[in-house]
Amino acid sequence: MAVPNIIRTKAVELTTIPAIAYKQKLSAGGAGIKILRGDGDYDAVCTIDRRTGEMVPYGRVDESLFPIEAFDEAFELTNSLPYSARGSIKVAPVIVNEEIDVVEGAPPEQTDMTLSPEYKAIIDRYSDERGKLNYTLMNKDFIQFAAKSKVVGDMIAERASQDEIVAFIVQSRVSFIANRKESLDDASTALLIETLDEIDPRSAFKELKAHLIRMQARKSGKTR
């Protein structure tokens, strides 16, 4: 039986140990970093805490084979690399079976936003020459939209939640960037935001959210 594709970044080569690594979506939710040694059939996974961005060992990890320095290097090299649906990897003489970590239980269109034209348009527009997503550039674009949007201004005046405002901005901008007549629905927008957040666990929209807080504070000051 063919092994299904994994939603992951491209593989990077480590220098701390003879191994390759990549970041992937995990079946239990969230993101993890997987390291596969090239000198034997050894692999290890760390999940990434969504709140802190820190790595947490997934199961038992042999530190003699996978020192923390290797995970630190893998974290830095994969940070901001975009996801896509990719196949299994062959290291040394071993073909690694990834079925255990594949996102399962729902149709691809409900789980893998990397296949959507909106996600692909974001990656094409905001990736740098190294293939990493430039969050500063993306946030600057979204902030400019927020500053000019009457709808965003009205949402702030009506005390809409920050998540609601971010969702509206993402829906609007990605539809324009992807040249789509119809906007993503709320569920797909939430999945797209989640996917982008997993690329950078420090939050893809940190600068945008900070700008919205300032807009909300200015609006609140004027209404007192």
Side-chain angles (χ1 to χ4, degrees):
M1 184 179 67
V3 177
N5 285 340
I6 319 155
I7 304 171
R8 65 173 177 83
T9 67
K10 70 177 183 179
V12 296
E13 186 174 358
L14 305 185
T15 59
T16 48
I17 59 173
I20 60 172
Y22 53 82
K23 186 191 296 180
Q24 69 180 104
K25 289 182 74 68
L26 301 175
S27 56
I33 289 177
K34 188 159 192 172
I35 299 179
L36 306 105
R37 290 189 65 110
D39 54 358
D41 186 12
Y42 309 110
D43 62 79
V45 175
C46 270
T47 60
I48 300 175
D49 189 293
R50 291 180 177 179
R51 294 174 294 108
T52 65
E54 296 180 353
M55 293 176 291
V56 181
Y58 184 78
R60 283 191 168 186
V61 175
D62 187 337
E63 293 186 5
S64 65
L65 292 172
F66 301 98
I68 188 61
E69 293 81 7
F71 279 102
D72 288 339
E73 182 183 18
F75 181 89
E76 290 302 322
L77 291 177
T78 59
N79 190 38
S80 296
L81 285 177
Y83 282 144
S84 60
R86 299 172 182 267
S88 300
I89 294 178
K90 184 176 182 180
V91 288
V94 180
I95 297 178
V96 181
N97 189 325
E98 305 291 356
E99 285 185 86
I100 187 172
D101 293 325
V102 174
V103 176
E104 297 173 341
E109 66 271 13
Q110 294 182 19
T111 58
D112 186 6
M113 289 304 296
T114 66
L115 300 176
S116 70
E118 289 84 0
Y119 175 85
K120 293 176 182 177
I122 286 177
I123 299 305
D124 289 343
R125 187 181 182 96
Y126 301 117
S127 290
D128 60 23
E129 65 277 2
R130 298 171 298 170
K132 292 195 172 188
L133 192 58
N134 186 328
Y135 281 105
T136 299
L137 181 62
M138 183 179 72
N139 274 266
K140 182 179 179 180
D141 187 0
F142 285 23
I143 287 170
Q144 288 176 344
F145 172 82
K148 297 177 182 177
S149 172
K150 183 181 183 302
V151 175
V152 171
D154 290 343
M155 292 179 76
I156 290 175
E158 294 166 4
R159 300 184 182 276
S161 71
Q162 190 178 84
D163 287 343
E164 289 174 326
I165 300 172
V166 169
F168 167 75
I169 294 170
V170 171
Q171 280 178 327
S172 301
R173 284 306 291 160
V174 299
S175 295
F176 174 79
I177 294 167
N179 195 26
R180 304 278 286 179
K181 293 182 179 179
E182 295 184 2
S183 299
L184 292 172
D185 59 31
D186 291 345
S188 296
T189 301
L191 284 172
L192 177 61
I193 291 172
E194 178 183 296
T195 300
L196 293 169
D197 268 342
E198 287 176 0
I199 296 175
D200 185 344
R202 288 181 283 269
S203 176
F205 303 103
K206 182 178 180 180
E207 295 168 44
L208 174 61
K209 290 177 179 178
H211 179 78
L212 292 175
I213 289 173
R214 292 192 292 271
M215 290 180 69
Q216 289 167 324
R218 288 196 296 267
K219 189 68 176 179
S220 176
K222 290 179 180 178
T223 56
R224 286 178 184 174

